[in-house]
Amino acid sequence: MRLLPRRLPIVAGLALTALVTTQPGIAQARPPHERPVDVQLLSITDLHGYLRPHDDAANGTVKDAEGRTIVVGGAPYIATHLKRLRAGHKNSITFSTGDNFSGWPTEVAYHADEPTIEFLNRVGVEFSAVGNHELDLSPSFLRDHMGKGRCFGEVDVDSCFTDSTGRRFHGADFPFSSANITAKGSDKPLLAPYVIRWVKPERGPKIPVGFINLTTPTTVGSSTSYQPTLDNLSLVETANRYAAELKRRGVEAIVANVHEGGTAGDVYDRCNANPTGPVFDFARQVTPDIDAIVTGHWHALFNCSVPDPAGDPRPVVEAANHGRLINEINLRIDPATRDVIRSATTSVNHPVTRDVPADPEMVTLVGHWVNRGGQTYARPVGTITGDLTRTRDADGESTLGNFAADAEYADSRRTPGGNADLAMVAVAPVKGSVALRGDLRYAKGTNPADADGTVLFGEAWSAFGYANPVVTVSVTGAAIEQALEQQWQTQANGSVRFAPLAVSGNVRYSYNATRPVGDRVNPADVLIDGRPLETGRTYRLAALAYTLIGDDGYTAFAGFTDAVRGSRDYEAFRAHFAQGPVTPPALDRATALRPYGPRGGRRRAGRTPEGHAGRTVLVALEGHSP
């Protein structure tokens, strides 16, 4: 049995939003040609390419006010619910609040996220805000490929795949919009800052409704969306600027479509007493000329009303993520003033239940891309002569880690402006995500397309990366030394955690694990292209953005400069197989020095380079590995 959402009136203060009746006397007091105009707004957010839920427990349920779990989501059901919600509405506008793609379902991610655009086109999305993940590749990928359908690489292999109708990808049928993403140092938005849609009254001229689209200011400095050539402008100032511009153009009904989040409880159509987060700060500050705020980004689910600076309530809503909810806001517009009658505004979050008929076209669409995903998985991308694994030796090295560091180094050297002197990969970071995710075995697997030594597309995809870009930056030699020292970190219980970093094949270094944490690496024992590390010199370092901004737990690179973005981890990793058959790298880049013994080293005391006076260093004997 389908659980129907509760509908309650919007009231001043932090309250629940839902259906309210028409303000008494409005329809009766006006001549027919001046009756209020009803406008339905339908929105989704943070779909992330989840055309089908991959894990109901994680992304296929919502809770109602009684704590009951409702199973939700999936493109065939989103399509059915949208059709049903639009029925009977003369003026209905469907849009997205961003993060449509760049998610993790492989049937979508393998295919340049084009399946998501096919779905959004076919369910009638009219425009979308730019979320942070819309910029996970590049501004040109968003504008030219996703927006215009421009191909790259080999057609139907790298991009411009054949869709579920047998046609080639042609891009979005709707615009992407962001008012506050600009080129570095500019206040001019990269894309159109707002969208205007025109609605029809019973009689008379059409009425404009403006949608200012905004992107979380964390975008250009975040790891996957790290874009050193872009800037984020302030949400409030930017929204105020374009609200004023819209009003000068005669637009009085204005909605802010903001990819920035908050939290207000875990019930899909309610709002707790103390909603928090940046979007609620935005809602309390932004101009009263904005009549409603639709948001996303935090994968939260709430239906709130927050007073604007003039004290008038307006809806602030977020419809969760992964296609679990559809938000509906109903605006009532006075045709005389062309402005929203706030007291008649209603809002409700609808669960995308699966107790309705699945849309047959969307069933075909999902089936097409799942089948194509299996084919893409099985495409060979390279060969290996032995296993590439995450298994670390006593010095912290692994064949997969070393290969990944070499892939980053090669990607930087190919990237204009990259030109790395060395590369590093966190193989077992102190915190956060681990880039090394799966082993590549020489022996053939269970896939019929596999063979001994063959690396399949899907195998490579699963071995390394989480959609993070390889970024090359300028850092000091002292920062490189500090990063190597941060491989050992003292925990709260006094134990020392070893969090090794893989280095590219042109680097050799030794460390003394018997010395205090923070004093285990001597710059003289770090060789880059055969030359000792100079702490006062500037080097070009390639690493994942996630590592450089400290999300792995290594803080040494704070303050890096001259960032140049290269390929994403997936692409850099696959590209490195193009060199021909890959022999697993030797585990000879890091050497743990030990006290005297047949496999030990000899002591060297006295003044050492870069201020390590009086320090005892263990140096490996030539021809002896620890």
Side-chain angles (χ1 to χ4, degrees):
M1 177 180 177
R2 182 179 175 186
L3 299 172
L4 297 177
R6 296 177 62 186
R7 298 178 179 240
L8 300 171
I10 295 178
V11 296
L14 301 177
L16 311 181
T17 56
L19 182 66
V20 297
T21 58
T22 305
Q23 198 173 29
I26 286 182
Q28 296 83 350
R30 295 178 181 276
H33 67 278
E34 291 186 0
R35 287 177 181 168
V37 181
D38 291 320
V39 181
Q40 180 193 54
L41 309 181
L42 298 174
S43 65
I44 60 173
T45 188
D46 294 86
L47 180 63
H48 285 292
Y50 276 75
L51 303 184
R52 56 174 183 149
H54 282 251
D55 179 353
D56 279 351
N59 54 64
T61 61
V62 294
K63 285 184 179 180
D64 67 9
E66 285 71 41
R68 291 172 295 186
T69 297
I70 307 171
V71 177
V72 293
Y77 303 104
I78 298 172
T80 297
H81 280 282
L82 284 173
K83 288 177 182 177
R84 291 186 170 194
L85 288 169
R86 291 175 186 139
H89 289 268
K90 180 179 179 181
N91 294 299
S92 183
I93 302 169
T94 302
F95 58 95
S96 167
T97 313
D99 278 7
N100 300 290
F101 48 82
S102 197
W104 300 270
T106 53
E107 65 269 17
V108 172
Y110 284 175
H111 305 112
D113 294 298
E114 294 173 9
T116 302
I117 298 298
E118 182 191 358
F119 166 71
L120 297 175
N121 283 345
R122 293 177 65 182
V123 296
V125 166
E126 297 185 39
F127 60 89
S128 175
V130 172
N132 50 300
H133 284 289
E134 264 80 17
L135 289 167
D136 276 0
L137 273 83
S138 68
S140 63
F141 176 83
L142 173 63
R143 182 180 54 242
D144 299 327
H145 179 64
M146 290 309 207
K148 301 176 183 177
R150 186 175 299 172
C151 304
F152 59 86
E154 184 179 347
V155 170
D156 211 37
V157 173
D158 300 302
S159 73
C160 292
F161 295 90
T162 302
D163 70 17
S164 67
T165 68
R167 292 175 292 184
R168 196 176 85 175
F169 179 71
H170 65 272
D173 296 337
F174 55 87
F176 291 96
S177 169
S178 176
N180 65 315
I181 297 289
T182 72
K184 198 78 171 176
S186 171
D187 65 352
K188 182 178 180 181
L190 206 66
L191 300 165
Y194 53 77
V195 171
I196 298 174
R197 288 291 177 266
W198 296 82
V199 298
K200 300 175 183 178
E202 288 187 7
R203 298 181 185 181
K206 293 181 180 179
I207 297 171
V209 180
F211 298 84
I212 302 169
N213 300 287
L214 298 157
T215 308
T216 172
T218 63
T219 297
V220 302
S222 294
S223 62
T224 56
S225 57
Y226 187 81
Q227 295 290 347
T229 64
L230 300 181
D231 269 342
N232 286 121
L233 303 182
S234 158
L235 292 180
V236 173
E237 292 177 9
T238 304
N240 288 349
R241 169 187 174 185
Y242 288 109
E245 181 173 313
L246 284 167
K247 286 180 70 68
R248 289 195 298 271
R249 295 186 60 180
V251 180
E252 297 293 337
I254 301 173
V255 176
N257 188 31
V258 192
H259 192 79
E260 180 61 286
T263 183
D266 62 355
V267 176
Y268 72 82
D269 197 40
R270 291 292 181 93
C271 181
N272 67 16
N274 185 33
T276 59
V279 78
F280 290 104
D281 298 334
F282 171 85
R284 297 178 185 106
Q285 299 171 40
V286 77
T287 174
D289 292 330
I290 291 173
D291 298 294
I293 298 169
V294 182
T295 190
H297 187 47
W298 279 27
H299 296 190
L301 56 177
F302 53 78
N303 189 9
C304 296
S305 177
V306 177
D308 67 22
D312 297 322
R314 58 186 167 191
V316 181
V317 301
E318 184 168 354
N321 62 313
H322 298 169
R324 294 189 291 156
L325 299 175
I326 297 169
N327 178 261
E328 177 185 11
I329 294 177
N330 287 287
L331 305 178
R332 182 155 286 184
I333 298 176
D334 183 335
T337 64
R338 306 207 294 185
D339 205 352
V340 172
I341 303 169
R342 287 276 190 94
S343 60
T345 298
T346 69
S347 177
V348 61
N349 276 334
H350 298 280
V352 179
T353 60
R354 300 185 208 164
D355 58 355
V356 298
D359 184 278
E361 291 184 359
M362 295 302 107
V363 170
T364 299
L365 182 149
V366 172
H368 169 82
W369 288 112
V370 170
N371 180 63
R372 185 63 192 264
Q375 297 172 24
T376 302
Y377 179 101
R379 177 161 60 87
V381 296
T383 58
I384 53 178
T385 64
D387 294 344
L388 294 176
T389 75
R390 295 163 291 174
T391 302
R392 299 192 299 275
D393 67 6
D395 300 337
E397 289 189 79
S398 68
T399 51
L400 186 64
N402 284 1
F403 181 82
D406 292 343
E408 288 187 356
Y409 180 76
D411 186 78
S412 174
R413 302 292 285 191
R414 288 191 301 268
T415 300
N419 201 32
D421 294 306
L422 74 160
M424 288 182 170
V425 171
V427 299
V430 178
K431 65 175 185 177
S433 300
V434 181
L436 303 184
R437 298 187 294 115
D439 300 332
L440 294 175
R441 298 290 181 179
Y442 175 81
K444 67 180 180 180
T446 58
N447 192 290
D450 207 357
D452 287 350
T454 299
V455 177
L456 303 180
F457 182 99
E459 292 174 332
W461 186 281
S462 299
F464 176 70
Y466 38 74
N468 222 239
V470 177
V471 179
T472 307
V473 297
S474 292
V475 296
T476 64
I480 293 171
E481 180 197 6
Q482 184 184 6
L484 293 173
E485 294 282 14
Q486 288 178 350
Q487 294 177 108
W488 299 271
Q489 296 196 19
T490 303
Q491 306 301 294
N493 63 4
S495 64
V496 175
R497 178 172 177 175
F498 183 33
L501 291 159
V503 294
S504 49
N506 64 326
V507 179
R508 298 290 185 277
Y509 74 95
S510 57
Y511 61 86
N512 182 359
T514 68
R515 293 191 57 79
V517 171
D519 189 25
R520 295 184 170 186
V521 178
N522 187 338
D525 297 329
V526 180
L527 303 180
I528 302 174
D529 292 320
R531 294 184 292 274
L533 179 70
E534 301 174 43
T535 57
R537 176 186 159 185
T538 297
Y539 292 85
R540 296 289 285 165
L541 168 69
L544 297 183
Y546 195 82
T547 299
L548 293 171
I549 65 177
D551 284 355
D552 279 330
Y554 310 93
T555 60
F557 304 122
F560 65 78
T561 60
D562 305 316
V564 173
R565 179 178 167 132
S567 305
R568 289 190 308 174
D569 43 24
Y570 300 132
E571 286 82 20
F573 189 74
R574 284 201 308 275
H576 203 48
F577 286 101
Q579 61 184 293
V582 170
T583 298
L587 304 182
D588 61 356
R589 303 177 187 183
T591 303
L593 302 173
R594 293 180 174 85
Y596 298 102
R599 296 175 62 81
R602 56 184 172 83
R603 293 188 180 274
R604 181 181 69 200
R607 182 170 294 278
T608 58
E610 324 307 339
H612 289 263
R615 175 173 169 180
T616 300
V617 180
L618 296 177
V619 182
L621 293 173
E622 183 177 356
H624 288 267
S625 59

